[in-house]
Amino acid sequence: MKYKLSQLMDILGGGTPRTDRPDYWNGNIPWLSVKDFKNTCRYVYQAEKNITQLGLENSSTQILSRNDLIISARGTVGEIAMISRPMAFNQSCYGLHAKESIITSEYLYYLLKNNIQMLKRNTHGTVFDTITRATFENLEVDIPTILVQQKIASVLSCFDSKIETNNRINKNLAA
């Protein structure tokens, strides 16, 4: 069945706590920027920076849940990852929460990963390429049944797991 990308997910905006407030930073809430997930791994496990509960409460950042997606929307456009644990994120990204009655989180990840060039071709902006909410509204995709999605994502997940394992082995060998 055909859907607009925007019909498949809730699109969440991020934010940055004020950097001149030390009490907003160095807490226990991971705060993502694109440099934290600009790689080939499906999951992002940690962030370079952390914020406090006070920083979360006094900014527009939001918390993404495990298996939500994050996509870079400005500057370095189209980097994507799944969230391994609750994390906040900056305003240069969107958090994507799959509408599970239509699409699984895992299938949404692979769908977007496979169509990243289509997203990049539909960016807006004069100085920086930008994915906007309209980008998701203007693109249509075919979606199989949930059962087929689960089967496809299961096969692709096996490959991703092997890639991550090989990357860890290679990192240990280099050390």
Side-chain angles (χ1 to χ4, degrees), residues 25-26 28 37-38 68 79 81 102 122 127 156 160 167 173:
W25 294 92
N26 300 315
N28 60 357
F37 60 95
K38 187 179 174 184
D68 281 347
E79 296 295 330
I102 304 170
N122 287 279
V127 177
L156 295 173
D160 274 341
N167 285 342
L173 288 174

Side-chain angles (χ1 to χ4, degrees), residues 5-12 95-99 108 133:
L5 281 177
S6 60
Q7 294 175 299
L8 302 175
M9 63 192 114
D10 295 315
I11 303 168
L12 309 170
L96 308 174
H97 178 76
K99 293 184 178 175
L108 179 60
R133 291 176 188 268

Side-chain angles (χ1 to χ4, degrees), residues 31-170:
W31 179 79
L32 296 168
S33 69
V34 69
K35 63 183 156 189
D36 297 314
F37 60 95
K38 187 179 174 184
N39 60 41
T40 58
C41 293
R42 177 172 52 151
Y43 279 100
V44 58
Y45 296 99
Q46 60 188 21
E48 182 179 290
K49 296 182 179 180
N50 292 302
I51 61 172
T52 63
Q53 185 65 35
L54 194 61
L56 175 68
E57 292 167 359
N58 289 285
S59 72
S60 59
T61 191
Q62 299 184 58
I63 296 287
L64 296 175
S65 300
R66 177 171 166 67
N67 289 334
D68 281 347
L69 282 67
I70 187 164
I71 187 167
S72 58
R74 270 189 244 152
T76 304
V77 173
E79 296 295 330
I80 188 166
M82 291 185 81
I83 304 300
S84 63
R85 60 188 173 118
M87 297 182 181
F89 60 106
N90 75 12
Q91 67 276 5
S92 293
C93 304
Y94 286 120
L96 308 174
H97 178 76
K99 293 184 178 175
E100 294 282 338
S101 62
I102 304 170
I103 192 167
T104 68
S105 294
E106 293 82 8
Y107 189 82
L108 179 60
Y109 169 79
Y110 291 115
L111 174 75
L112 293 174
K113 190 89 168 160
N114 188 57
N115 288 289
I116 212 69
Q117 292 308 317
M118 177 180 67
L119 280 169
K120 287 181 176 185
R121 284 192 302 273
N122 287 279
T123 59
H124 303 84
T126 53
V127 177
F128 293 107
D129 287 338
T130 305
I131 294 174
T132 65
R133 291 176 188 268
T135 306
F136 296 106
E137 181 67 29
N138 295 329
L139 299 173
E140 282 191 343
V141 291
D142 281 316
I143 303 298
T145 66
I146 294 286
L147 184 60
V148 171
Q149 292 175 39
Q150 290 169 336
K151 289 178 180 179
I152 291 169
S154 175
V155 170
L156 295 173
S157 291
C158 287
F159 288 114
D160 274 341
S161 293
K162 289 178 191 236
I163 290 168
E164 283 196 31
T165 298
N166 286 338
N167 285 342
R168 279 193 302 273
I169 290 168
N170 289 342

